[in-house]
Amino acid sequence: MTFRRASVVVVCVLAAHAAGAQESPHAFVGAQLLPITQPPIENGVLVVHEGKIVAVGPANTPIPSGATRHDASGRVIMPGFVDTHSHLGGPWAADGSEP
């Protein structure tokens, strides 16, 4: 897995979230899924709706009717991954920020 490839998928998920209220679900199909608390899933399905993950599973995972499908073949998605890096005290504070 390359950082660039994973970054592209993260950007796709964030773009879908930033699209507003996300009236219809978005399904990312064909990717290798690396759930944080489960074993890897080859050729998986990730469904996101209203900014939340609503389904993660193998290729036969049901996709809601009306969902926008995104071909993520050859990509890696890490549903549930949380990046806690922040600059809460301003850019000068970096990792020395107070909680």
Side-chain angles (χ1 to χ4, degrees):
M1 172 178 80
T2 65
F3 178 75
R4 179 183 169 141
R5 208 176 259 184
S7 297
V8 169
V9 173
V10 169
V11 168
C12 289
V13 172
L14 292 176
H17 175 66
Q22 239 186 341
E23 293 176 10
S24 65
H26 289 261
F28 298 86
V29 297
Q32 176 187 27
L33 303 180
L34 301 177
I36 304 310
T37 60
Q38 301 293 322
I41 302 169
E42 298 298 326
N43 191 30
V45 173
L46 168 70
V47 181
V48 180
H49 188 215
E50 296 180 348
K52 295 182 180 175
I53 297 171
V54 295
V56 175
N60 63 350
T61 299
I63 297 173
S65 62
T68 302
R69 290 176 182 248
H70 304 275
D71 181 7
S73 300
R75 308 286 189 207
V76 175
I77 301 176
M78 299 173 68
F81 178 75
V82 177
D83 182 2
T84 61
H85 180 95
S86 70
H87 294 269
L88 286 174
W92 57 88
D95 295 323
S97 297
E98 292 293 322

